[in-house]
């Protein structure tokens, strides 16, 4: 006799993948496999209420598939919030390619990946991220038009990112010191790579007292002598007497250890995921009277630059749009003070409010 199963008994929530997706309401996941090229990738589309999901592709040697899944779900959701708070008509998505970016890259692998991106019909637009170079993206582009950050197009996003960080830092200064001016302010820039150096250039022009730190001695020396900055050792960073701490290298540098040492009154930098634990350290910075500029709102210049490529806009458009980061940060800090809620929570709320409001606009008449 055939056993008739009650399909209601098999709860979708028991499926770990769907359960993970439903936790933060991800729309779609695409698992990509190709034995010929060795491609193993996951594309996550978190939310497309505001527009196509834009977010880079990361190539990383994950310990296991679950780590890759967790990362792509977390990163794609982050893109939804970043794109929403920046006023862009873009949703959030991200892709991860599981593998060693030093040994596993090939034209065939990236073209195969491009075909998977294309199969989503423009719902997901990809770009470079960790482990991916412009040449890799040109291969992806051979199979799909849904790619940005290509050579000869919108170009290096770092100047736009740095400009957004700079104006957002000024907005914090206005709230904390009553003036936009950073002249004479002691600013420590941790990491003087692509974004950090452009930021140092703007700060030097304004007459800030600049401290810099980096693991690359050559870069450190060059930037110090070009802009008259003072070099600080990697481990001394958190003990420097400073007004503004600008993390532009690594994530999770705002943690229990550093918060017990940091003497700054503003944290505003380009690095992603600066708070080691949002719900703990986002509250602690507020309790210490430090204004923390939420990283995803402050460093949105990069995605603004990508958007200019999606819409074929001039590069000057991206720089002008990045100026709006001043108002965004200013509004976040004001609301945080008024509502007594940490800035990171206010930023999340503002992104969610926009998605909700525009979602209603998009309903049929
Ligand atoms: P980058 O690699 O060019 O620069 C990072 C710099 O940090 C390098 O010079 C590196 O030597 C230095 N560094 C690494 N570890 C360090 C340490 N322990 N102490 C001090 N310095 C250290 O990267 P980037 O493009 O300038 O980006 C900087 C940060 O901003 C990254 O976290 C990135 O994810 C984020 N971000 C960048 C953009 C962009 O447009 N490039 C956009 C958004 C966010």
């Amino acid at each position: 006799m055939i056993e008739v199963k009650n399909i209601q008994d098999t709860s979708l929530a028991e499926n770990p993948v769907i359960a993970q997706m439903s936790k933060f309401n991800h729309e779609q996941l695409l698992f990509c496999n190709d034995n010929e090229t060795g491609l193993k990738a996951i594309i996550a589309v978190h939310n497309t209420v505001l527009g196509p999901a834009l977010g880079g592709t990361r190539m990383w040697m994950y310990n296991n598939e679950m780590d890759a899944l967790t990362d792509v779900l977390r990163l794609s959701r982050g893109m939804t919030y970043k794109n929403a708070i920046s006023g862009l008509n873009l949703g959030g998505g991200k892709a991860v390619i599981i593998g060693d970016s030093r040994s596993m890259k090939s034209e065939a692998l990236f073209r195969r990946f491009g075909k998977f991106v294309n199969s989503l019909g423009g719902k997901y637009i990809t770009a470079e991220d960790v482990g991916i170079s412009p040449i890799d993206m040109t291969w992806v582009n051979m199979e799909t038009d849904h790619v940005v950050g290509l050579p000869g197009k919108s170009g290096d996003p770092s100047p736009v990112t740095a400009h957004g960080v700079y104006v957002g830092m000024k907005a914090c200064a206005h709230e904390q010191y009553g003036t936009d001016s950073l002249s004479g302010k002691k600013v420590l820039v941790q990491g003087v790579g692509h974004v950090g150096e452009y930021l140092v250039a703007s700060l030097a022009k304004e007459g800030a007292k600049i401290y810099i730190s980096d693991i690359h001695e050559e870069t450190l020396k060059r930037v110090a002598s070009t802009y008259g900055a003072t070099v600080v050792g990697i481990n001394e960073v958190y003990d420097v007497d400073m007004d503004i701490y600008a993390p532009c290298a690594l994530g999770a540098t705002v943690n229990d250890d550093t918060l017990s040492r940091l003497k700054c009154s503003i944290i505003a930098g380009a690095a992603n995921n600066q708070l080691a634990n949002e719900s703990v350290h986002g509250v602690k910075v507020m309790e210490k009277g430090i204004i923390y500029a939420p990283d995803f709102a402050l460093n949105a210049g990069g995605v603004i630059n990508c958007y200019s490529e999606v819409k074929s806009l001039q590069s000057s458009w991206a720089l002008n749009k990045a100026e709006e980061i001043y108002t965004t940060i200013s509004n976040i800090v004001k609301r945080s003070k008024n509502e007594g809620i940490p800035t990171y929570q206010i930023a999340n709320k503002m992104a969610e409010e926009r998605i909700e409001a525009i979602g209603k606009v998009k309903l049929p008449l």
Side-chain angles (χ1 to χ4, degrees):
M1 211 170 93
I2 299 168
E3 188 194 347
V4 181
K5 284 189 180 153
N6 179 356
I7 56 163
Q8 301 295 339
D9 286 346
T10 314
S11 163
L12 279 180
E14 284 169 20
N15 179 329
V17 177
I18 306 265
Q20 284 208 54
M21 285 176 79
S22 60
K23 191 169 176 199
F24 292 111
N25 207 10
H26 283 76
E27 286 179 17
Q28 191 174 1
L29 273 182
L30 181 65
F31 290 88
C32 319
N33 179 66
D34 184 61
N35 288 351
E36 288 294 317
T37 57
L39 174 72
K40 303 218 174 324
I42 313 173
I43 301 173
V45 174
H46 175 248
N47 187 295
T48 55
V49 169
L50 297 176
L54 186 140
T57 296
R58 179 168 291 193
M59 188 164 186
W60 194 253
M61 200 67 221
Y62 290 97
N63 286 332
N64 54 59
E65 287 169 20
M66 249 3 222
D67 283 0
L69 177 64
T70 305
D71 208 28
V72 79
L73 290 172
R74 181 180 63 86
L75 293 168
S76 57
R77 180 168 172 259
M79 288 309 298
T80 297
Y81 282 76
K82 182 181 287 211
N83 293 338
I85 204 158
S86 312
L88 303 175
N89 292 325
L90 290 173
K94 201 88 182 182
V96 294
I97 297 178
I98 303 167
D100 188 340
S101 62
R102 287 163 304 180
S103 60
M104 289 175 63
K105 287 185 177 182
S106 69
E107 176 186 348
L109 180 140
F110 283 105
R111 290 185 69 162
R112 201 73 195 141
F113 175 68
K115 279 189 106 60
F116 281 107
V117 172
N118 205 48
S119 74
L120 290 169
K123 190 190 277 184
Y124 169 65
I125 302 169
T126 197
E128 281 170 44
D129 196 74
V130 176
I132 301 287
S133 71
I135 181 81
D136 304 333
M137 280 295 134
T138 60
W139 286 328
V140 175
N141 185 221
M142 288 175 189
E143 303 298 334
T144 183
D145 289 335
H146 307 299
V147 190
V148 288
L150 293 164
K153 296 279 181 72
S154 62
D156 177 12
S158 310
V160 184
T161 304
H163 190 60
V165 171
Y166 172 64
V167 297
M169 189 184 278
K170 286 172 86 63
C172 293
H174 193 267
E175 294 304 318
Q176 192 69 293
Y177 315 125
T179 167
D180 280 5
S181 174
L182 299 172
S183 175
K185 290 282 180 270
K186 288 174 263 180
V187 187
L188 188 146
V189 181
Q190 181 183 39
V192 283
H194 287 94
V195 179
E197 183 170 354
Y198 284 112
L199 178 62
V200 166
S202 298
L203 292 169
K205 214 168 163 186
E206 190 164 344
K209 176 140 187 46
I210 307 163
Y211 298 85
I212 56 170
S213 159
D214 202 291
I215 50 171
H216 280 142
E217 283 300 320
E218 298 270 304
T219 314
L220 208 48
K221 276 190 200 148
R222 183 181 52 76
V223 176
S225 70
T226 310
Y227 304 100
T230 306
V231 171
V232 173
I234 308 273
N235 299 320
E236 297 156 46
V237 164
Y238 308 106
D239 302 308
V240 171
D241 173 27
M242 62 177 122
D243 298 300
I244 303 172
Y245 166 49
C248 294
L250 315 161
T253 59
V254 182
N255 53 44
D256 286 336
D257 172 43
T258 59
L259 271 179
S260 65
R261 293 155 65 188
L262 274 170
K263 295 175 197 73
C264 62
S265 45
I266 292 173
I267 299 176
N272 284 310
N273 305 316
Q274 291 166 29
L275 302 174
N277 180 334
E278 270 194 345
S279 54
V280 175
H281 305 110
V283 175
K284 278 196 179 165
V285 284
M286 188 171 80
E287 286 170 354
K288 282 183 70 114
I290 297 173
I291 291 182
Y292 164 68
D295 44 22
F296 72 89
L298 192 71
N299 70 17
V303 79
I304 289 172
N305 201 56
C306 284
Y307 187 71
S308 70
E309 191 172 326
V310 174
K311 295 284 176 190
S312 307
L313 300 164
Q314 303 278 340
S315 57
S316 57
W317 177 89
L319 266 182
N320 286 337
K321 184 76 181 165
E323 295 262 325
E324 291 175 15
I325 291 174
Y326 181 100
T327 312
T328 306
I329 296 294
S330 186
N331 290 340
I332 292 171
V333 177
K334 284 193 175 96
R335 258 184 85 169
S336 164
K337 280 183 186 162
N338 290 342
E339 298 179 29
I341 293 173
T343 51
Y344 86 92
Q345 274 184 26
I346 294 288
N348 288 350
K349 270 171 86 168
M350 282 168 58
E352 285 163 8
E353 283 164 6
R354 178 163 180 255
I355 294 167
E356 202 186 330
I358 304 305
K360 285 179 187 149
V361 172
K362 290 194 169 184
L363 286 173
L365 285 173

